[in-house]
Amino acid sequence: MTTLQDILDPQIDRSFKGFPHTSPPLRRSQIAAQNWRVLAGDLPLPLAVVKQQALQHNLSWMQRFATGQGVDMAPHGKTTMSPQLLKRQLDAGAWGLTFATVAQVRAGVSVGARRCIIANQVFTAVDLAGIEDMQREYSGLRIAFLVDSPAQLELIEAWCRSQEDAQPPVQPFEVLLEIGVAGGRTGCRNQHDALTLARRIKDSPACRLVGIECYEGLGATGQSAPDEAYAAALMQRVCDIAIACDQQHFFDNEEVLVSAGGSAIFDLVVSRLKPELSRPVRGLLRSGCYVTHDHGFYQRMVSAVNSRLRCSDGLQAALEVWAAVQSCPEPGLAILAVGKRDISYDLDLPVPLGFCQPGDAVVANAPADWKISGMNDQHAYLRGSGPEHAALKVGDLVALGISHPCTTFDKWRWMPVVDESYTVCDALVTCF
């Protein structure tokens, strides 16, 4: 039987990309004692690393922000799917955790989460059975998922009817009414449809309406004026529908959950997560990428957040991928031994951050004209025109910043956690 200790302190070995080729298998808790140094070449490259100081700063900063706004955190675990980081988010004060699938929920439950949101529609028999199974296995576990259509509700009801002889009886599922936007993805598009569905849920023996939800991230631009107008309009719809549901007694819980997600404009939705209803309201922020932040998309988005908050100590980029120069085939071009299998590229290409020779104690900042112009599965094209680029040689080390943490984490089964000198001081694993 897998124990919590096994989950938080697993064995890591040479089958994990980035683990030293000649090292025996080690427990995660044994990694720090090895005193491995990234810059000295003690670990094979490419290598994704998480910077300890920035990670701790981000965990504390976001929890303080939410608490200061009178809301709670239910961070999106699909960003990292790391049991160690999920546990740290709970320990930092998170109310619960958010996931995208039933399978992901089990990772959160395994490290102690007893309140989980699936920020997605659940409707297949196997997934509904999975939720029911987990709630039987773990006493007091709450799992709420999103509903946005009568068709989905009918599938849930059909499954519940198929379980009428189950002992003990199947309990109604907790659900959140999802509010969407035209041209976006899931969610009710207007108030009439939302209230019609809420009424159907109220009358259904298969579900209990416990709250209302939206995802604001797809409309974010990083420009305050349009983002403020967009978020205000969306959250006004959410509040209006929540008030209408409350007035018509559609909610079926002592406390109503009102939630928004996304890591791009979280400051613009947080003040609207506690509408005045006839019963207590718990506002929940579901941001996930904040935990490591990035050097690209979210850095641009959150720079606007910092400006609006007049904040000088906001989120810090904690995730880097290091690679070696493997070829300098022509002037102005160096090929790095890192590619699409190792680092995110779905929103932006990686950003050169720094460089050094193996064994150097100091990392020099990458010149402004350095850029990654393209990537293959295992190669990245580093272009530049200055003397620093011309001096690069095979074996030199280059640090890359990422854009979108989610699609870098899912490429690694483990990541070393490093101090400011890039000495490994801890480790984490992922369970995608």
Side-chain angles (χ1 to χ4, degrees):
M1 178 179 178
T2 302
T3 67
L4 178 60
Q5 183 68 12
D6 293 328
I7 294 168
L8 294 177
D9 193 25
Q11 182 170 280
I12 306 172
D13 59 35
R14 288 173 288 185
S15 70
F16 288 54
K17 179 173 63 175
F19 190 82
H21 302 307
T22 58
S23 173
L26 296 169
R27 290 284 181 180
R28 184 199 61 82
S29 59
Q30 298 175 300
I31 297 293
Q34 309 310 307
N35 201 38
W36 289 329
R37 295 171 298 156
V38 175
L39 303 185
D42 292 339
L43 298 100
L45 304 182
L47 184 69
V49 303
V50 175
K51 303 181 78 171
Q52 180 187 46
Q53 185 173 321
L55 172 66
Q56 184 55 51
H57 170 85
N58 294 344
L59 287 165
S60 301
W61 188 95
M62 185 59 87
Q63 189 62 49
R64 286 198 309 272
F65 171 79
T67 300
Q69 296 291 323
V71 303
D72 286 288
M73 289 295 299
H76 212 317
K78 59 99 174 166
T79 296
T80 70
M81 287 304 294
S82 166
Q84 294 76 32
L85 293 182
L86 299 178
K87 180 71 162 53
R88 290 185 68 168
Q89 288 172 307
L90 291 170
D91 290 345
W95 171 88
L97 296 172
T98 298
F99 297 96
T101 68
V102 175
Q104 290 176 0
V105 170
R106 192 167 287 277
V109 172
S110 70
V111 298
R114 291 299 177 265
R115 292 184 287 255
C116 296
I117 294 174
I118 300 176
N120 216 342
Q121 280 63 34
V122 178
F123 50 87
T124 65
V126 68
D127 281 342
L128 295 167
I131 292 175
E132 175 70 12
D133 181 66
M134 275 190 280
Q135 291 182 321
R136 290 181 191 275
E137 183 179 354
Y138 296 94
S139 177
L141 173 62
R142 292 183 63 191
I143 300 174
F145 59 85
L146 309 189
V147 174
D148 75 343
S149 71
Q152 179 195 358
L153 182 58
E154 289 167 6
L155 290 173
I156 299 167
E157 291 171 333
W159 183 82
C160 288
R161 287 193 298 271
S162 75
Q163 304 297 308
E164 287 179 350
D165 295 332
Q167 292 298 328
V170 171
Q171 297 300 306
F173 292 102
E174 295 189 46
V175 299
L176 302 172
L177 183 66
E178 182 176 20
I179 308 306
V181 296
R185 49 193 197 197
T186 51
C188 299
R189 294 309 200 243
N190 57 66
Q191 183 164 331
H192 175 269
D193 289 350
L195 294 179
T196 299
L197 178 57
R199 183 176 293 106
R200 279 276 286 109
I201 296 170
K202 177 65 175 177
D203 295 337
S204 174
C207 295
R208 295 170 46 231
L209 186 62
V210 300
I212 188 167
E213 178 273 353
C214 72
Y215 172 63
E216 77 286 355
L218 290 179
T221 67
Q223 302 176 50
S224 287
D227 286 351
E228 287 169 359
Y230 162 75
L234 174 59
M235 295 310 297
Q236 186 62 55
R237 288 179 57 218
V238 170
C239 290
D240 289 346
I241 294 169
I243 291 169
C245 286
D246 182 53
Q247 291 173 342
Q248 298 181 57
H249 309 291
F250 292 155
F251 291 122
D252 190 11
N253 201 49
E254 293 181 359
E255 177 183 75
V256 177
L257 305 180
V258 179
S259 178
S263 298
I265 53 172
F266 55 86
D267 64 311
L268 298 180
V269 299
V270 68
S271 64
R272 309 297 292 274
L273 293 179
K274 300 194 74 174
E276 291 188 13
L277 305 182
S278 64
R279 62 189 72 194
V281 175
R282 184 176 297 275
L284 294 175
L285 270 181
R286 303 193 313 275
S287 307
C289 292
Y290 76 89
V291 68
T292 60
H293 198 42
D294 71 11
H295 294 88
F297 176 78
Y298 285 109
Q299 184 182 71
R300 293 194 297 276
M301 295 293 123
V302 176
S303 65
V305 174
N306 292 338
S307 178
R308 291 190 292 268
L309 295 177
R310 295 180 173 84
C311 173
S312 60
D313 67 338
L315 299 175
Q316 300 174 4
L319 179 57
E320 299 175 357
V321 177
W322 281 77
V325 176
Q326 72 177 89
S327 180
C328 300
E330 60 190 64
L333 175 63
I335 303 298
L336 307 183
V338 63
K340 295 179 179 180
R341 300 295 179 91
D342 312 302
I343 193 168
S344 55
Y345 59 92
D346 54 315
L347 295 182
D348 298 295
L349 290 170
V351 180
L353 300 176
F355 66 102
C356 66
Q357 295 181 356
D360 284 356
V362 178
V363 178
N365 292 330
D369 75 323
W370 284 22
K371 70 174 184 178
I372 300 297
S373 62
M375 290 198 301
N376 306 132
D377 282 357
Q378 313 286 174
H379 301 83
Y381 299 71
L382 174 63
R383 298 187 184 274
S385 59
E388 295 93 344
H389 192 281
L392 283 175
K393 59 184 180 297
V394 172
D396 285 349
L397 310 182
V398 178
L400 300 174
I402 58 101
S403 187
H404 196 190
C406 299
T407 50
T408 293
F409 269 96
D410 66 9
K411 301 178 190 305
W412 295 88
R413 294 170 62 199
W414 87 295
M415 293 181 183
V417 179
V418 299
D419 63 18
E420 294 305 295
S421 67
Y422 290 95
T423 298
V424 178
C425 58
D426 199 353
L428 55 89
V429 299
T430 65
C431 52
F432 286 95

